Amino acid sequence: MHLPDGFLDPGVAAAAAAVSAGAVTYGLRRTGSVLDERTAPLLGVTGAFVFAAQMLNFPVAGGTSGHLLGAALAAALVGPWGACVVLSVVLTLQAFLFADGGVAALGANVLNMGVIGGLGAGAVLLIGRRVLPQTRRALLGTAAVAAWLAVVLSAVACAVELGVSGTVPLATALPAMLGVHVVIGIGEAVITVAALGAVLASRPDLVHGWHAARAPRPRPLPIAEV
Amino acid sequence: MRRFALLAILVSVVLAVVVSPWASSKPDGLEKVAERHGFSERARVHDDALLPEYTPIAGLVGTLATLAIGTGVAIVIVRRREA
């Protein structure tokens, strides 16, 4: 749901940019605390995957397509603020290199997909961690809900911006955006669960907030066996 | 981390380069809403983009660029935390 330039009133776009700039700046600091030397590469790797996966539009009903947002997957790996940062990098590159999403609208896109999507997904994941037992099924179930909600919340934010801009009445935009994105959210949930499931199976220590009973042990030096 | 990262990057590149041509070209949710409710004409698309279409090459460039920038950002913010 990349907003091109021209859909939003310039004032709305500027306000959204101010909010997202503040959030991402704060998010950079928080992410710096969450990551360490071992997990730092996750930010770039997650970004690369999200970028690639966002290229893969899948058909949904009514002559429409959807694509992965990736906020929930990113939140599951690098935390909610990390997700904001990851999505910001992806969206910025898309806007400047590929003209996918406007430049003036970049702030709004980051706000919708990165900040609201990332923090919304992160909140669901956090609640799941607190309330549910730490099992694979619980995590993946929570991730599915987080993924769906991230898409829906982003769509709501987008609809509100369009409505406030006067581009289309909010009473029209909201059901229209919701209608298609509650379906796209299902695709998001499926892809997120598949990807996160793969990470959980291979490297559970890389999942944010997941206390792996056994992180991969370093290989012992041969000399120790003598 | 290295093996995991390399595998994830490989998967990403394959998706961006090999799988992306098969992606649906139907309009996405927002575009469809814009068409249906008559504001799609408002879009002002910049025609000076470096890579205006999502070709496999563009996908490769974008994936690797995201990797590079994301990794660079992470290095800076982790280092700053430990400073």
Side-chain angles (χ1 to χ4, degrees), chain B residues 8-68:
Chain B
I9 293 163
L10 181 66
V11 168
S12 304
V13 167
V14 168
L15 289 178
V17 173
V18 177
V19 181
S20 70
W22 298 91
S24 168
S25 51
K26 298 245 167 66
D28 75 15
L30 173 61
E31 288 165 344
K32 195 70 177 178
V33 170
E35 277 173 28
R36 211 174 270 157
H37 297 281
F39 61 92
S40 58
E41 295 298 301
R42 292 200 186 201
R44 283 190 336 261
V45 185
H46 305 277
D47 47 3
D48 54 353
L50 210 59
L51 296 156
E53 290 190 23
Y54 276 117
T55 60
I57 293 288
L60 178 65
V61 170
T63 303
L64 295 180
T66 311
L67 175 69

Side-chain angles (χ1 to χ4, degrees), chain A residues 32-64:
Chain A
S33 317
V34 164
L35 298 176
D36 58 29
E37 295 281 336
R38 184 179 61 92
T39 54
L42 260 185
L43 205 71
V45 170
T46 305
F49 182 82
V50 168
F51 182 94
Q54 287 208 357
M55 292 178 70
L56 307 178
N57 285 49
F58 51 88
V60 295
T64 316

